[in-house]
Amino acid sequence: MLPAALGAYQLNLPLDSWVDVEAASDSIHEAEGFLKADRFRDAWAAAQVAYHICRRPFLAGETSPWVVQTREQLATLHVRACECLAETYIRNGEPEIAVDVARQAIAAQSFRETGYQLLMRAQLAAGNRAEALRTYEACRALICEELGVAPSAQTQAVYLDVLRSR
């Protein structure tokens, strides 16, 4: 039975219930913590949980404000999961997979520079220096043309690393 009051419902779940949206949020926080602790395998596992949960549609067809807000939160969590996964794949010597997930992050949030940074690093690790340079140029052009500013110092540092590479 769902209790209702003031035009809203309250769902009381058993204490041992698993809520996927909460699990995604918890998992991405764990993944980012594991990355900071250089625990890449643990980060990969936790990021996979968030990645797969956040890829699914959330209450398709519903348009209430809280549903829209939750979708936006899940989209951001998905990008963060992509970034965590890209980092783990780079560090695990699988740059081709890192390229794919970094591109997913950029496609979802094109003004988020961390996706470009990861993509450049992954492309360089895969031996595609020219592609990494093209990625920087795409990032630079987007940010300059749309926002009227240069890329961040962090993005420029990755670009300089690509230029210095052989």
Side-chain angles (χ1 to χ4, degrees):
M1 175 176 204
L2 282 175
L6 302 172
Y9 293 101
Q10 181 177 357
L11 177 62
N12 296 312
L13 297 173
L15 291 177
D16 61 345
S17 296
W18 187 82
V19 179
D20 59 353
V21 173
E22 292 175 4
S25 180
D26 292 345
S27 293
I28 197 60
H29 290 298
E30 281 183 4
E32 290 168 339
F34 287 140
L35 276 178
K36 288 178 183 174
D38 291 334
R39 294 175 53 189
F40 307 115
R41 290 181 186 197
D42 293 327
W44 176 87
Q48 284 287 344
V49 172
Y51 175 85
H52 289 286
I53 290 171
C54 295
R55 285 182 57 178
R56 300 187 318 230
F58 181 76
L59 297 177
E62 295 297 323
T63 58
S64 68
W66 79 269
V67 171
V68 172
Q69 181 182 13
T70 301
R71 283 186 190 130
E72 290 169 359
Q73 290 169 343
L74 288 170
T76 298
L77 290 176
H78 183 254
V79 170
R80 288 170 59 193
C82 286
E83 291 176 348
C84 284
L85 288 172
E87 185 66 42
T88 63
Y89 287 127
I90 290 168
R91 293 187 187 199
N92 197 42
E94 301 174 280
E96 295 83 6
I97 302 171
V99 165
D100 178 54
V101 292
R103 282 188 174 137
Q104 289 178 47
I106 292 168
Q109 294 184 352
S110 61
F111 288 96
R112 188 176 171 127
E113 290 184 54
T114 49
Y116 293 98
Q117 295 164 18
L118 284 162
L119 181 56
M120 287 187 287
R121 289 179 47 229
Q123 289 167 325
L124 185 60
N128 295 316
R129 182 174 183 246
E131 284 298 316
L133 294 171
R134 284 176 36 132
T135 296
Y136 175 78
E137 180 53 30
C139 174
R140 188 206 59 75
L142 176 72
I143 291 171
C144 286
E145 291 170 13
E146 296 289 328
L147 304 176
V149 297
S152 70
Q154 296 89 339
T155 300
Q156 291 180 32
V158 175
Y159 169 66
L160 291 174
D161 288 343
V162 172
L163 284 176
R164 291 183 194 116
S165 68
R166 302 270 171 182

